[in-house]
Amino acid sequence: MPEPYATFTSRVVPLPAENVDTDQIVPARYLKITDKAGLADALFRDWRFEADGRPKDPPFVIDRPEMAGRQILLAGDNFGCGSSREHAPWALVAWGLRAVITTSCADIFRGNALKNGLLPIVIEPDRHRQLLELVERDGDVELTVDLALGVVHLPGDEDLPFDVDPFSRLMLLEGTDELGYLVAHDADIAAWEASHPARVDTRPAGPAA
Amino acid sequence: MGHNHLPMPPSPSARTLVEKIWDDHVVAAEPGAPDILAVDLHLVHEVTSPQAFEGLRRRGLVVRHPERTVATADHSVPTTPRSLPILDALAAAQVAQLETNAREFGVPLHGLGDPSQGIVHVIGPQLGLTQPGMTIVCGDSHTSTHGAFGALAFGIGTSEVEMVLATQCLLQRRPRSYEVRVDGRLAPGVSAKDVILALLSKIGVGGGTGHVFEYRGSAIEALSMEQRMTICNMSIEGGARAGLIAPDETTFAYLAGRPHAPQGSDWDRAIERWRGLPTDDGAAFDRSVTIDAASLEPMVTYGTNPGMGLPISAAVPDPKSVGDPGRRRNLEGALAYMDLRPGQPILGQKVDVVFIGSCTNGRISDLRLAAAALEGRRIADGVRMMVVPGSDEVKREAEREGLHEVFRAAGAEWREAGCSMCIAMNGDQLEPGQYAVSTSNRNFEGRQGKGGRTFLASPLTAAASAVAGAIADPRNLPGIETLAAVGGR
């Protein structure tokens, strides 16, 4: 069960590349786990290390010493496209990230992120460009993410509003999850099933008599 | 068949195929909340399910409908002979965990050694589990494949796998609709793979985000079921979670008599229901795009996402011609990774490996096309060619038809079923720097092995390129006019 999503202030990890796919976020060879252990090390693995295992020189952005502890990723358009692997948000969260600011997120990634306390913040391209310029001018700029108000506070009392699905916002703020909501609707599910016969039977013997 | 090509005024009561399926599956819709959507069929594999089963254990929950759930091992399994053990300890543990979970929770499993084992998106249709009008989910983005039957099928994450195991439901917002109209006739040597790569090069990898594609038009109606699956499979590469094609006589003929398809009077009732599914005349789509089938060439990708595709006679684009700085950097990065020069023809680019297989192009008709192109020929010296059937049944059928002998005589490897080099987590992979022509679905950096470079293409283009040792145009294959009819189904 995730923690309630509280307002926080952090510096920014800039990664403005477009169409970053989930194979880059966690390469497939790290998907052979049966739990969620070790994923912070797998994060962006092939962008961080050479084929022989040496760290890249200069280091990939998340390995720069000043990036340690930062909780906001400033990403490019269509972040998280490709594979449905939930290992991608698991790894981003395991590294310490709590929000991804971008101009659009892939659908499956967005859903996976919201279920793991990682907030996708989608803003207009113009505002995204301004924010990127701000971070390029001052790498230590601090942003405050306030989910309850739906704004990112910028320095100088400027607010950047963003939209989040209201149901997802409620789930995040309360630290509850969708499975609990579904289980609480068991009576609705049972009633629907009573009036809708199964479409298929997966058992090898075929439909039971 | 209600295909009316005259423009119709939008009608408020007219619904699309997706809207009909959605309305049929809404369990509850509370204000402010997403719809609770019932799931008819849940497909499970070893990679994205272990944490979901563990979640059930932790919460003390059971699988609500094991008889609407089916599991197989495909992603991490070796494609070496089944008599050999799984050498990778992590992969072996993951496959063993799937077997334990299936047994403990009562989920039917087509594991290694089962005659129905195979890639999850190949065995669903093959067993007749995939049917029109259904909602189908799987912890795999290529679940969109099943949309070829007029089912609403989409990939989900592991948290959602746990939800569906526990409740047979999901929380979902209604998607927007995107009409993809493909009219006209495909030229010989141009196939379903080329249609979807052409769409992706037109709209980009994020073009369909928030939408569900519906593929329509005379070129789509003329396709076999397996070709339709190839197109729907790659909907996710355009950002659409699902892509559908209305069920028709081709769909019904494919399904009739399959093990889990309805039988007898159930079949007649099912057909009657399925005939009501196609999009009504006058139904409105949120977006629309049109492709002229006759104008398409064989397509091949040159970059590091599936939207970076070209007609095979074209040249690699020049980043200098791209105005948007973000797009330009993206293209520069892709060409640097691929080690390609702006303006170079893609034809003739050297190839080290050719891979035929995957949930995109690992079905029997794909193998028939590749074998027909290789009959009586040898692959070029220095090229490694792997042919990996999409399922154990596809493998048996190919061997009945003698296709494996054609592949072996040509110098290719004939292997066991699985995802293999499409995702390269089972040991089948490229070496750093190698170039592959692959019939799979993703050319992302490192997708087929760290440092490997992928050109996505059709089975015909892949086979022609294996013979040439370089990217080659399948339209120059002898007898190409008749080859297109080889696939069947």
Side-chain angles (χ1 to χ4, degrees):
Chain A
M1 199 75 86
E3 299 284 308
Y5 195 93
T7 297
F8 69 95
T9 299
S10 169
R11 292 173 183 162
V12 175
V13 180
L15 180 61
E18 294 184 1
N19 302 317
V20 171
D21 59 79
T22 54
D23 273 88
Q24 307 315 313
I25 301 174
V26 179
R29 62 186 184 278
Y30 295 102
L31 306 185
K32 286 181 268 193
I33 50 174
T34 52
D35 53 20
K36 301 175 188 177
L39 283 169
D41 290 338
L43 181 66
F44 292 118
R45 188 77 193 181
D46 292 345
W47 285 353
R48 294 164 66 189
F49 295 91
E50 304 288 354
D52 63 8
R54 278 179 303 119
K56 298 248 186 189
D57 184 20
F60 180 64
V61 60
I62 67 168
D63 286 329
R64 289 179 357 215
E66 70 273 22
M67 295 297 157
R70 297 191 179 193
Q71 296 175 294
I72 300 171
L73 185 71
L74 181 57
D77 192 55
N78 195 32
F79 187 77
C81 61
S83 158
S84 63
R85 60 191 69 170
E86 198 162 324
H87 307 68
W90 291 340
L92 291 161
V93 168
W95 191 84
L97 293 163
R98 297 183 61 200
V100 178
I101 305 179
T102 176
T103 48
S104 79
C105 256
D107 288 334
I108 303 178
F109 176 83
R110 190 188 62 243
N112 287 341
L114 286 166
K115 291 174 184 67
N116 288 281
L118 180 66
L119 178 65
I121 298 175
V122 175
I123 59 177
E124 290 299 315
D126 283 350
R127 306 305 302 271
H128 186 269
R129 196 157 35 240
Q130 289 163 10
L131 188 55
L132 189 59
E133 284 165 7
L134 177 68
V135 171
E136 281 168 354
R137 273 199 309 275
D138 175 7
D140 289 333
V141 65
E142 291 197 320
L143 310 183
T144 299
V145 175
D146 186 334
L147 175 60
L149 288 179
V151 294
V152 178
H153 299 293
L154 308 182
D157 288 336
E158 199 188 346
D159 282 349
L160 188 56
F162 63 90
D163 284 327
V164 181
D165 178 276
F167 183 80
S168 300
R169 181 167 67 188
L170 193 70
M171 294 278 125
L172 280 171
L173 290 174
E174 293 186 354
T176 180
D177 67 12
E178 294 186 4
L179 180 49
Y181 180 90
L182 283 172
V183 169
H185 284 75
D186 185 68
D188 290 327
I189 297 170
W192 190 89
E193 286 179 346
S195 58
H196 293 78
R199 293 282 174 88
V200 76
D201 188 330
T202 57
R203 287 170 291 189
Chain B
M1 305 298 302
H3 294 291
N4 189 335
H5 291 238
L6 294 173
M8 298 277 294
S11 155
S13 62
R15 293 183 299 165
T16 64
L17 168 58
V18 173
E19 287 171 315
K20 292 180 191 184
I21 299 174
W22 196 277
D23 293 343
D24 272 352
H25 290 84
V26 175
V27 169
E30 292 185 344
D35 293 348
I36 298 180
L37 196 69
V39 171
D40 290 318
L41 176 66
H42 185 193
L43 307 163
V44 169
H45 65 80
E46 76 277 25
V47 172
T48 57
S49 68
Q51 298 87 349
F53 283 109
E54 187 51 35
L56 294 185
R57 275 189 205 99
R58 208 169 49 239
R59 297 178 199 243
L61 296 170
V62 298
V63 175
R64 184 179 181 95
H65 285 296
E67 82 292 352
R68 301 181 197 182
T69 312
V70 68
T72 191
D74 54 5
H75 282 64
S76 63
V77 302
T79 55
T80 46
R82 291 285 185 246
S83 54
L84 302 173
I86 304 180
L87 292 175
D88 180 333
L90 280 176
Q94 198 171 52
V95 170
Q97 188 63 50
L98 180 72
E99 290 166 357
T100 300
N101 291 336
R103 201 166 43 239
E104 181 180 331
F105 290 92
V107 171
L109 168 68
H110 299 295
L112 287 187
D114 182 300
S116 295
Q117 181 267 339
I119 305 176
V120 66
H121 310 308
V122 175
I123 70 169
Q126 166 187 296
L127 289 167
L129 290 166
T130 301
Q131 296 169 23
M134 279 183 166
T135 49
I136 301 175
V137 299
C138 175
D140 189 286
S141 62
H142 293 109
T143 308
S144 57
T145 311
H146 307 265
F149 292 79
L152 178 60
F154 53 91
I156 57 178
T158 297
S159 295
E160 291 177 314
V161 170
E162 185 181 348
M163 286 180 219
V164 179
L165 289 173
T167 69
Q168 203 63 30
C169 289
L170 273 177
L171 282 163
Q172 294 288 307
R173 298 270 178 198
R174 194 179 281 258
R176 294 191 291 276
S177 58
Y178 199 141
E179 175 188 42
V180 179
R181 177 167 279 283
V182 192
D183 282 315
R185 279 175 69 107
L186 295 171
V190 182
S191 67
K193 184 62 161 288
D194 304 306
V195 173
I196 187 65
L197 288 175
L199 172 70
L200 298 173
S201 72
K202 190 169 177 140
I203 68 167
V205 285
T209 301
H211 293 74
V212 167
F213 293 139
E214 183 181 334
Y215 303 97
R216 323 169 75 199
S218 59
I220 300 295
E221 289 162 29
L223 296 175
S224 71
M225 284 315 294
E226 296 194 351
Q227 292 171 324
R228 293 179 189 186
M229 285 186 248
T230 297
I231 290 185
C232 291
N233 172 273
M234 290 186 72
S235 302
I236 184 64
E237 312 319 334
R241 277 180 90 172
L244 289 78
I245 294 171
D248 60 10
E249 298 308 318
T250 304
T251 320
F252 307 150
Y254 179 97
L255 267 169
R258 291 192 179 265
H260 292 269
Q263 315 286 331
S265 58
D266 287 346
W267 172 258
D268 297 334
R269 276 195 300 276
I271 294 263
E272 199 178 315
R273 197 174 69 238
W274 296 340
R275 286 195 200 285
L277 285 169
T279 293
D280 297 327
D281 290 336
F285 289 91
D286 295 304
R287 292 182 75 176
S288 191
V289 65
T290 302
I291 289 174
D292 171 21
S295 71
L296 295 182
E297 283 187 29
M299 296 287 295
V300 61
T301 62
Y302 59 87
T304 52
N305 73 49
M308 293 178 162
L310 289 172
I312 201 163
S313 66
V316 172
D318 189 339
K320 286 204 216 66
S321 68
V322 180
D324 178 79
R327 300 274 138 77
R328 185 164 59 238
R329 269 197 308 275
N330 229 21
L331 179 55
E332 285 166 352
L335 296 188
Y337 182 85
M338 295 296 289
D339 196 17
L340 297 176
R341 294 186 319 280
Q344 82 171 79
I346 201 74
L347 274 173
Q349 167 63 39
K350 126 187 149 80
V351 170
D352 304 296
V353 176
V354 171
F355 173 67
I356 298 210
S358 86
C359 59
T360 313
N361 282 123
R363 296 182 179 79
I364 189 66
S365 58
D366 301 310
L367 302 192
R368 285 178 187 144
L369 282 173
L374 288 174
E375 180 97 58
R377 298 188 178 84
R378 290 279 306 174
I379 63 173
D381 285 346
V383 170
R384 179 188 188 194
M385 181 174 185
M386 296 173 69
V387 185
V388 179
S391 71
D392 200 54
E393 183 181 305
V394 169
K395 178 166 187 274
R396 286 194 303 277
E397 174 60 24
E399 290 177 351
R400 269 194 296 277
E401 297 177 16
L403 306 183
H404 65 313
E405 298 299 352
V406 175
F407 292 127
R408 283 183 177 146
E413 299 169 30
W414 175 243
R415 301 178 73 99
E416 296 290 333
C419 300
S420 182
M421 204 194 280
C422 174
I423 188 163
M425 55 184 294
N426 73 333
D428 300 345
Q429 63 189 59
L430 299 176
E431 301 294 326
Q434 279 189 321
Y435 286 104
V437 174
S438 177
T439 67
S440 56
N441 42 55
R442 287 184 174 140
N443 51 348
F444 297 148
E445 289 182 26
R447 170 79 179 189
Q448 298 197 284
K450 182 166 175 162
R453 299 163 174 150
T454 301
F455 301 111
L456 299 176
S458 73
L460 277 176
T461 302
S465 302
V467 171
I471 294 177
D473 191 334
R475 291 174 298 180
N476 297 332
L477 287 166
I480 188 65
E481 291 77 11
T482 54
L483 266 186
V486 166
R489 290 210 289 200

